Amino acid sequence: MPRTDPHDGQKLSRKSSQKPSRTSSQKSSQESVPESAGIFHRSYLLVTLGACALVFLAAFESLAVTTIMPLVSRELDGASLYALAFAGPLATGVIGMVAAGSWSDRKGPVAPLLAAVGMFVLGLLIAGTAGTMPVLVSGRLVQGLGGGALTVALYVVIARVYPPVLHPKIFAAFSAAWVIPSLVGPFAAGVVAQVAGWQWVFLGVVGLVVPALLLTAPSLRGLHGTPGAAAAAPPAPGSAGGEAAAVETAGGARPPGGPAKLALAALAALAVLGLNLSAEVPGAGGVLAAAAVAVALLAVRPLMPRGTLTARRGLPSVILTRGLASAAFFGAEVYLPYLLVERYAFAPTFAGLTLTGGAIAWAAASAIQGRLGTRLEHRRAVRIGSALVLGAVVLAFVTTVLAWPAAVAIAGWILAGGGMGLMYPRLSVMTLALSTRDTEGFNSSAMSISDSLGGALALAGTGVVFAAFSTATTAAASFAGVFALTAVIGVAAVAVSPRVAVVPAAVRTRE
């Protein structure tokens, strides 16, 4: 389940309020609620608590797994599959996003939400009872399918249950549900892993997910597909809602339909998985890796505005910068706790605090840029943010190569979190600024897919590099290779960032 930002809620609420379409029972229910009511009014209390709890648990699981994976890898002798345990769920999550979006448009969000939670729980059970690394990775792949679908299904539930005036508030609550696990999740996961075993980081969440879903059950009654359902739904990642009307995308090309989009997402996910496994093929690994990257890029190209892969100025560069920034940040982040445990003998509890520092910096920088508003120009915010991420990755690389104190890499990651908090909201705002009403859904989906696949490809690439250097004479070589690759990606993000300038409205649809 991808991270969200307070400003991402703005793009979702804006789309969902354009053509509200609800059942008569929902209308009558909402008409009885006073306009001053908030998301914790008795009419919305249970669904608010349930939805936020689901987001909280998905966020906790994402951060917790990053903390405990070094222990898991060591116990299950799974260093060669370490990156796949992270890249795989991101890749299959894109399939879940697309499938749940189309399903919600046709039948309503109830069945997709139930299926998403079921897949998420099944993935947790498989991972928590795994005795080998391949089985654990299989569980993570199933978990990713459920997590991606869960994000989309929840967005559609929100669009159907809450009036548009409350959308910013519920999405702000979702953002808070991500921040809290960022503060306590890594530390708590380390404690659980040391006291009860890493398996309970997976299994313990299972007992909390079902009660969270049950809280939303009363509000799910009657949320079935309606003729106007697609118009009411926000531009959830992978949703086909709004795409039927958006026959002209940013490049003047017709976006693929639901089945075609699902097939392309599946092809891209399979390419990412193939990239992870290419290192296992002696002799032909390099060729297979190159082919997998090419297939992934070809598959994702129709899902993006025209010119994205060539960094065309305006919207395409906004989408590309988002993917490159995610790739550099998340590609390096999952190896920092691993580095601290393996090279500096940190306990998992304290290694996870690195993620907490970055998360706090992310939240603080996001709040600061929100207060600055127009005083901080969008392109400047993106350039500064991408430079901070690159600087943090370079510090991690230098720390590894020169055996500097771990505090240098930890402090650097605070800079990385600040950089992401500074640029992520602005990239969301710029996506809207460079979209027309008919292309908001397609462009928002493209940004989310760029986010997920950028991180997935980077993690797959770092896995190949880590495995390639694992036979080196020094243990630092593998980590140095990982940070070198993510630094190159960070350089690309810095290079593309000046091209995100907002273009005149008259040519927005042709960028």
Side-chain angles (χ1 to χ4, degrees):
M1 191 170 183
R3 292 185 185 181
T4 57
D5 189 275
H7 292 266
D8 289 340
Q10 296 174 0
K11 72 170 179 285
L12 295 169
S13 61
R14 177 177 168 185
K15 178 71 175 178
S16 62
S17 62
Q18 288 172 5
K19 297 180 182 179
S21 174
R22 306 179 189 276
T23 63
S24 58
S25 62
Q26 288 171 303
K27 287 180 180 178
S28 61
S29 174
Q30 291 175 1
E31 286 172 358
S32 65
V33 179
E35 293 184 1
S36 59
I39 60 175
F40 294 105
H41 185 273
R42 63 179 180 273
S43 299
Y44 309 120
L45 178 61
L46 291 180
V47 69
T48 296
L49 294 177
C52 288
L54 288 172
V55 173
F56 176 92
L57 292 171
F60 173 84
E61 191 64 23
S62 175
L63 294 161
V65 169
T66 305
T67 301
I68 66 165
M69 194 55 70
L71 278 181
V72 176
S73 176
R74 180 189 301 168
E75 183 171 322
L76 300 182
D77 192 24
S80 62
L81 296 177
Y82 182 85
L84 182 58
F86 295 99
L90 286 175
T92 56
V94 174
I95 302 175
M97 291 174 191
V98 174
S102 298
W103 193 359
S104 296
D105 286 340
R106 294 193 311 271
K107 302 294 185 181
V110 178
L113 180 62
L114 295 175
V117 172
M119 293 291 285
F120 188 71
V121 168
L122 178 60
L124 290 172
L125 290 172
I126 295 173
T129 56
T132 64
M133 195 67 170
V135 174
L136 183 136
V137 170
S138 298
R140 292 283 288 156
L141 296 179
V142 175
Q143 193 180 338
L145 276 172
L150 178 62
T151 302
V152 175
L154 278 179
Y155 284 164
V156 180
V157 167
I158 296 310
R160 306 284 179 86
V161 172
Y162 296 84
V165 69
L166 291 182
H167 289 174
K169 293 182 179 180
I170 186 61
F171 285 119
F174 278 11
S175 297
W178 266 98
V179 171
I180 295 173
S182 298
L183 300 179
V184 303
F187 183 83
V191 172
V192 171
Q194 287 183 280
V195 174
W198 60 262
Q199 292 87 348
W200 285 100
V201 175
F202 294 99
L203 299 177
V205 175
V206 173
L208 301 175
V209 171
V210 175
L213 178 64
L214 292 177
L215 286 174
T216 68
S219 296
L220 298 180
R221 298 183 186 128
L223 294 186
H224 303 297
T226 61
S239 172
E243 288 181 11
V247 296
E248 291 293 315
T249 65
R254 186 183 184 91
K261 192 171 184 179
L262 183 60
L264 289 170
L267 181 59
L270 287 173
V272 171
L273 299 181
L275 176 58
N276 276 274
L277 299 175
S278 62
E280 303 298 317
V281 181
V287 175
L288 291 177
V293 171
V295 169
L297 294 179
L298 287 173
V300 79
R301 187 171 176 238
L303 308 180
M304 303 287 176
R306 182 173 295 175
T308 297
L309 299 183
T310 56
R312 184 179 296 177
R313 185 175 295 277
L315 176 63
S317 288
V318 171
I319 301 297
L320 182 58
T321 300
R322 181 84 166 217
L324 290 172
S326 296
F329 182 86
F330 296 114
E333 184 184 54
V334 300
Y335 281 93
L336 271 178
Y338 199 177
L339 173 70
L340 296 177
V341 170
E342 292 294 321
R343 291 284 314 282
Y344 293 93
F346 274 42
T349 302
F350 294 101
L353 290 178
T354 304
L355 309 183
T356 300
I360 294 173
W362 187 320
S366 181
I368 291 171
Q369 67 81 31
R371 289 182 176 274
L372 289 175
T374 57
R375 287 176 291 172
L376 178 63
E377 194 258 337
H378 292 329
R379 183 169 61 173
R380 183 179 295 274
V382 173
R383 294 178 69 177
I384 294 173
S386 58
L388 287 174
V389 172
L390 173 59
V393 176
V394 170
L395 278 177
F397 172 76
V398 175
T399 299
T400 304
V401 172
L402 301 182
W404 283 359
V408 176
I410 294 173
W413 211 244
I414 294 175
L415 293 178
M420 294 295 277
L422 192 63
M423 76 170 118
Y424 249 49
R426 297 307 180 100
L427 290 169
S428 299
V429 171
M430 292 180 76
T431 298
L432 284 183
L434 293 165
S435 301
T436 64
R437 177 170 295 190
D438 289 339
T439 60
E440 283 178 340
F442 178 81
N443 293 339
S444 296
S445 176
M447 183 176 63
S448 297
I449 292 172
S450 179
D451 242 354
S452 294
L453 279 184
L457 284 171
L459 287 166
T462 55
V464 172
V465 170
F466 192 85
F469 284 96
S470 62
T471 57
T473 55
T474 62
S478 293
F479 292 105
V482 165
F483 296 130
L485 175 59
T486 50
V488 170
I489 299 173
V491 169
V494 170
V496 175
S497 62
R499 301 182 61 79
V500 301
V502 176
V503 297
V507 298
R508 284 178 186 169
T509 58
R510 296 191 294 275
E511 272 289 296

